[in-house]
Amino acid sequence: MAGRTVRVQGFPAELPPDRAADKLTIHFLRSRNGGGDIADVRVLPGSPPCALITFEAPEVAQRILKVKNHVLAIGRTRYPLEVTLHSAELSPDEVLRG
């Protein structure tokens, strides 16, 4: 999974996890957003919530990371998304902080 997973933050916390996963899947499938085939989407609770999106191919994740402004539109509201590469292994520090 290394290199195929991105971490996404910036979507509204009040959005139910299944609906957030649907919205993010649609956004990151679109080729105009640099997207492509998705293997898995996991929405993690927290404040702020984040999602881990794993693509079928590492080159899709790399394209996603090169797009500077990802904006998720829900109704008339636009949410700027922060997209970073997700490291496959969590360090003990990250596990303890989570």
Side-chain angles (χ1 to χ4, degrees):
M1 281 221 289
R4 296 190 306 137
T5 303
V6 298
R7 181 183 182 104
V8 180
Q9 291 180 281
F11 55 91
E14 64 273 8
L15 203 59
D18 58 337
R19 186 134 182 266
D22 289 346
K23 293 287 187 185
L24 292 168
T25 298
I26 291 165
H27 178 85
F28 289 106
L29 273 172
R30 290 189 175 133
S31 57
R32 73 171 185 230
N33 296 327
D37 291 337
I38 294 173
D40 185 49
V41 176
R42 285 190 298 156
V43 176
L44 307 176
S47 184
C50 74
L52 299 179
I53 301 174
T54 302
F55 294 94
E56 293 287 344
E59 52 271 15
V60 177
Q62 295 307 311
R63 278 199 317 264
I64 289 288
L65 292 166
K66 287 180 184 165
V67 174
K68 293 294 176 223
N69 297 310
H70 285 284
V71 178
L72 185 65
I74 300 175
R76 292 179 178 220
T77 309
R78 297 168 64 80
Y79 299 92
L81 299 176
E82 178 187 336
V83 182
T84 55
L85 186 62
H86 177 68
S87 56
E89 305 286 328
L90 287 178
S91 74
D93 289 344
E94 286 179 284
V95 173
L96 292 174
R97 276 189 302 217

